Structures are given as structure tokens and as C-alpha cells.
Amino acid sequence: MRITMIGSGYVGLVSGACFAHFGHDVVCVDKDAGKIDRLRAGEMPIFEPGLDTLVAENSKAGRLTFTTNLADAVGEADAVFIAVGTPTRRGDGHADLTYVYSAAAEIARAIRNYTVVVTKSTVPVGTGREVARIISETQPAAAFDVASNPEFLREGAAIEDFMKPDRVVIGVESERARDVMSTIYRPLNLIQTPMVFTNIETAEVTKYAGNAFLATKISFINEIADLCERVGADVHDVARGIGLDGRIGRKFLHPGPGFGGSCFPKDTLALAYTAREANAPQTIVEQVIEVNNARKKKMAQKVIDFCDGSVSGLTVGVLGLTFKADTDDMRDAPALDIVPALQAAGAKIVAFDPEGMDEAGKLLKDITFAKTAYDVTANADVLVVITEWHEFRGLDPRRIKQAMRHPRVVDLRNIFDPEEMRHLGFTYEGVGRPKARS
Ligand SMILES: NC(=O)c1ccc[n+]([C@@H]2O[C@H](COP(=O)([O-])OP(=O)(O)OC[C@H]3O[C@@H](n4cnc5c(N)ncnc54)[C@H](O)[C@@H]3O)[C@@H](O)[C@H]2O)c1
């Protein structure tokens, strides 16, 4: 199959490289000429484990190319995937569909033969129909079908998620489009991946329902963590105790500073907006949004309370800035709430993140970036763990204690063992864990 990917960001680039790995001929398009230049030079514009090798292998095999010329790339394609951004629209929380619709119009002008135009971007219900309308209006003679193929990959594990998905959801409404989509995903038949064929609206709703459910799980365990802190229970044991129930499942039951990233915050907002418009308000999701926003704000206060009510004049060492480990993505990261609030309370911030410091530098002001995790601890009055990078788990608490001015740790990801930390002489607080007995 000849596949064109419009948008070469996290989703477009990973999907494009994986489809090329399946054996298809893939052209990845982006408006950003700098991004395309870097990709052609074999440089990755994002950090995603394994992506550089996958792109290099498939480029070398001649199956994966990059261009800024959308028209040329669309003309010969069997399927064109729209993988552009759908950020939150300013003011009302709806998904901003400007990029999707302008891509649809550009595609329409370039279609030559029968083409399946697939939305891979996360888009509110009704977008697929609107894409079809735009294409028909722009080029009435265009032979095409639209399809919806939402993407469920996670940053940090994107390639594995794409190559071995739990399922593939495809909204199509013609046999011809279904055949094209089945052929594209045929390599996944070997590992018996469930293919869920639906109508277009169902596929669109499925993506939002999935993300909203996962976001709900996170907010749920975060509130349970608050309860555990008050009553001397341990949220990890609670999560294990409930997660082993197959009806509940163990995933997404890790307490922390609130969810962030490029998907859950904007997708929950967009679902709430769409649902209100459809007169079917999603009050649970609306509550999740509120709980999560409040939680991100509360985390700085947790640090301040831990420091006996003031961080003024203190050096706060911050471990991790990205919204989760294994990505350089800073979109809606809890650090963007926590760090400025601590600064406003008079703290000096020294931070380290293995991959996120370039992005963080654009969004956070007046931080000193350290070269290593240990450098963050030097003369710090308190250490705050915001992101659960694997390398932080291996840090030697004894060395940290020696380097710090005051051995105090607020661990918003529970990467350290509270017993061990307290035994070594740290004042330590995690999330949802019993406080030290006095
Ligand atoms: N990031 C994730 O983990 C993830 C997971 C699942 C779904 N999604 C969804 O996938 C979509 C894309 O997300 P992303 O994180 O890859 O975004 P991104 O911002 O990383 O990438 C989007 C890219 O599209 C390009 N672009 C915009 N308009 C274009 C046009 N007309 N022609 C060519 N290129 C164009 C931009 O320059 C940018 O490089 C969103 O709807 C998102 O919600 C993201």
C-alpha cells in the first residue's frame, strides 16, 4: 500500500515508521520544513525510544521518505492519514480542528485516484463527516472514502504500542475502504490483534471514551491517595488490592501529581464540551477535569507544608519535568504548575530531566538546569520528585543525603522506599503513604 501521513509529530512519525516497517511505502509530510530537514538527515525531532533506529532502517530500505510537499505525496496514495494536532481551542475547551480541516482541503485538491482519507488525529464525533463534506465541496469529482482510525499509542512506548496494539479501531462505511484498511493492518493478523470495525461516529467516540476512562482511573486513585494519607493507609497496597480484581485491572492506578501530557487534559475537555453540546453531559468526566486541575495546584502547597509552611529562600531540587517518563513532552505537565508556584513562594529551583530540559526551558523561567540528577541534590534544602524516570529509581539515597543541605524529600511519584529513606535519616513524604510515626 502507498500511505501518506499528514503531520510528522509523535503520532504521524511513529505511525509512518511503523507502517513502513509493515512493508508499506510511506511518505511523511509536515509543514515544518525544519522538522523535515532533520528527519531527512536522520535526526529525530522528538525523543521516543527506538524511533531513530526504526526510521533509519526503513528510510534505508526506501520505504519511508519525508517531504513538505503535500500535493505530490497525496496524488499517488492509496490511503492518506491525517495526524495533525488537535489542541484545545482557546476559551471553550473544544478541540481546535483548524489543522484537520485545512489538511482535508489540501488533500482534496491533490486527490487523483480513489483514496481513503483517514483521521488518525483524536477528533470529536462528527469530524469525519465534516472532512468528507470539505473534500466533496473542494473537489466534487474526487473519488474517496473517509475512515476514522484513532490512535491509542502511549508516548514512551509508542512503537511497541503500535506494533502490538491491544486492538485496532476502524470506523469505515464502505467495503472498498474497509478492504484498504484491512490490507494496511494485515501484518497484525499474525499476532491476532482484534480489529474493531465500526461506523465513523463510534470510532470517534471510542477514542475519547478510552482516554476519559483512563483519566478517571488516575483521578480516582489520586483521591484515594489523599484518603490514605489522612488515615494511615498505603495507596500502593490499596491499588494492588483492588487492581488484582480482573474487573478493575492494575494499570493506571499509580498515584501522582495529576495527569498531564498532550492527550488526557485536552481530550477530557473536548469530550465534556462535545457531550454538553449533544445534551448528554459527562458529569463524571467534568469532575475528573476539576479534580485533576486542583491536584496539580495542590502539589506545590504539599511541598510548602512539608517545609513547615515556607519555601522562601530555599533551594528546591527538582527531579523530572516532563509529564511522564520516557518522553520529552512538556505539554500540560504538572511541573508547569508546581515549579512557578514554588518560585512565587520564594524558592530557587534547580532541576534535572533526562530528556525534557530543552522543552522545559521554553516554558519555565529562572530555573537552573543541572547536568545530572546528583547535581540537583547539591546543597538543596528539599528534593521534589515530579517525574518517575527510571534512572531516578537507581539513585543512591546515601549520596543524595550527603549532598543535600537538608535531607528532605517530597516524592510525588513514590519512587523511593519510605522506610529506607526514613531509616537513612531523611524527612520523607510520598503520595498516599502513611506518614512517619512520631
Ligand atoms: N501524542 C500522543 O501520545 C498521541 C496519542 C494518541 C493520539 N494523539 C493525537 O494525534 C494527533 C497528533 O498529535 P501529536 O502529538 O502527534 O501532535 P504534534 O504536534 O506532535 O504533531 C503534529 C504535526 O502536524 C504538523 N501539521 C499541522 N498541519 C499540517 C498540515 N496541514 N500539513 C502537514 N503537516 C501539518 C505540525 O507541523 C506537527 O509537526 C492529535 O490529535 C493527538 O490528540 C496523540
Side-chain angles (χ1 to χ4, degrees):
M1 285 270 139
R2 286 160 303 183
I3 295 175
T4 295
M5 198 58 68
I6 310 295
S8 307
Y10 284 88
V11 166
L13 182 55
V14 170
S15 308
C18 291
F19 280 146
H21 198 71
F22 287 175
H24 302 304
D25 285 320
V26 180
V27 186
C28 285
V29 182
D30 208 287
K31 269 183 163 11
D32 181 342
K35 203 175 256 190
I36 294 300
D37 285 346
R38 289 177 70 184
L39 283 164
R40 282 180 170 157
E43 235 183 86
M44 293 305 104
I46 53 167
F47 172 73
E48 182 60 45
L51 186 61
D52 46 358
T53 315
L54 193 70
V55 168
E57 277 173 14
N58 286 285
S59 302
K60 194 165 164 231
R63 289 190 297 263
L64 179 63
T65 54
F66 302 98
T67 183
T68 51
N69 190 329
L70 183 144
D72 281 358
V74 166
E76 299 301 321
D78 298 301
V80 177
F81 285 75
I82 300 176
V84 300
T86 49
T88 299
R89 189 164 72 189
R90 266 171 200 271
D92 62 7
H94 190 48
D96 182 348
L97 297 170
T98 321
Y99 302 107
V100 173
Y101 292 151
S102 85
E106 284 181 75
I107 293 165
R109 285 190 283 274
I111 287 179
R112 272 188 247 138
N113 309 308
Y114 173 79
T115 310
V116 183
V117 180
V118 192
T119 37
K120 202 165 229 341
S121 299
T122 302
V123 293
V125 60
T127 306
R129 300 257 170 245
E130 182 59 13
V131 166
R133 195 195 62 73
I134 290 170
I135 298 174
S136 298
E137 194 181 277
T138 312
Q139 204 211 124
F144 74 100
D145 277 309
V146 290
S148 166
N149 173 216
E151 183 49 56
F152 298 96
L153 62 77
R154 293 162 300 167
E155 288 175 20
I159 293 168
E160 171 88 3
D161 283 352
F162 198 94
M163 301 280 205
K164 294 182 193 159
D166 293 334
R167 77 312 201 183
V168 174
V169 174
I170 298 172
V172 270
E173 288 173 4
S174 81
E175 276 307 312
R176 200 171 176 189
R178 187 182 165 128
D179 285 350
V180 169
M181 295 305 288
S182 300
T183 307
I184 289 173
Y185 280 105
R186 187 173 297 143
L188 294 181
N189 291 349
L190 277 175
I191 52 168
Q192 297 184 333
T193 305
M195 306 295 269
V196 182
F197 283 98
T198 69
N199 69 17
I200 289 167
E201 282 74 12
T202 307
E204 290 170 339
V205 171
T206 303
K207 172 64 191 174
Y208 281 99
N211 271 1
F213 191 82
L214 294 173
T216 304
K217 257 186 130 176
I218 295 174
S219 283
F220 177 83
I221 203 68
N222 281 340
E223 286 205 318
I224 293 288
D226 286 347
L227 174 65
C228 288
E229 280 175 21
R230 303 284 182 289
V231 299
D234 188 323
V235 71
H236 280 267
D237 294 336
V238 174
R240 194 169 138 76
I242 62 171
L244 285 167
D245 183 331
R247 293 168 301 178
I248 295 173
R250 292 180 66 177
K251 293 187 176 162
F252 280 79
L253 288 179
H254 304 285
F259 58 76
S262 65
C263 293
F264 289 177
K266 82 171 172 62
D267 293 348
T268 44
L269 270 175
L271 176 61
Y273 181 93
T274 313
R276 255 179 278 127
E277 291 250 291
N279 217 4
Q282 299 296 299
T283 52
I284 295 172
V285 178
E286 288 178 12
Q287 190 62 24
V288 165
I289 295 167
E290 234 173 80
V291 165
N292 194 60
N293 288 341
R295 183 163 191 88
K296 287 185 187 173
K297 300 223 179 321
K298 261 194 331 209
M299 290 299 109
Q301 193 56 46
K302 182 178 169 81
V303 176
I304 294 168
D305 292 346
F306 176 79
C307 295
D308 302 322
S310 173
V311 289
S312 181
L314 299 189
T315 299
V316 178
V318 170
L319 286 180
L321 294 163
T322 51
F323 84 94
K324 65 171 186 180
D326 289 329
T327 181
D328 57 356
D329 202 335
M330 283 295 299
R331 289 178 276 187
D332 277 320
L336 298 177
D337 283 298
I338 299 169
V339 167
L342 292 175
Q343 288 172 320
K348 175 175 173 272
I349 305 291
V350 181
F352 173 74
D353 188 284
E355 295 293 339
M357 292 195 288
D358 285 350
E359 276 309 301
K362 298 176 197 160
L363 301 166
L364 293 167
K365 299 278 159 270
D366 303 321
I367 301 192
T368 305
F369 287 112
K371 286 208 170 64
T372 68
Y374 282 119
D375 288 348
V376 160
T377 64
N379 296 320
D381 294 292
V382 58
L383 188 64
V384 181
V385 180
I386 300 185
T387 316
E388 72 286 19
W389 283 93
H390 216 60
E391 67 172 78
F392 299 159
R393 294 178 199 274
L395 294 172
D396 177 1
R398 287 181 183 80
R399 193 169 153 194
I400 294 178
K401 182 161 178 254
Q402 264 174 2
M404 291 184 76
R405 190 175 299 135
H406 295 109
R408 298 189 287 196
V409 175
V410 182
D411 183 357
L412 299 178
R413 298 289 188 168
N414 293 346
I415 64 168
F416 293 113
D417 176 355
E419 293 299 318
E420 185 192 8
M421 296 301 275
R422 288 180 189 132
H423 180 72
L424 290 172
F426 282 92
T427 312
Y428 173 90
E429 188 170 307
V431 177
R433 315 202 83 167
K435 306 253 188 234
R437 297 200 192 283
S438 46

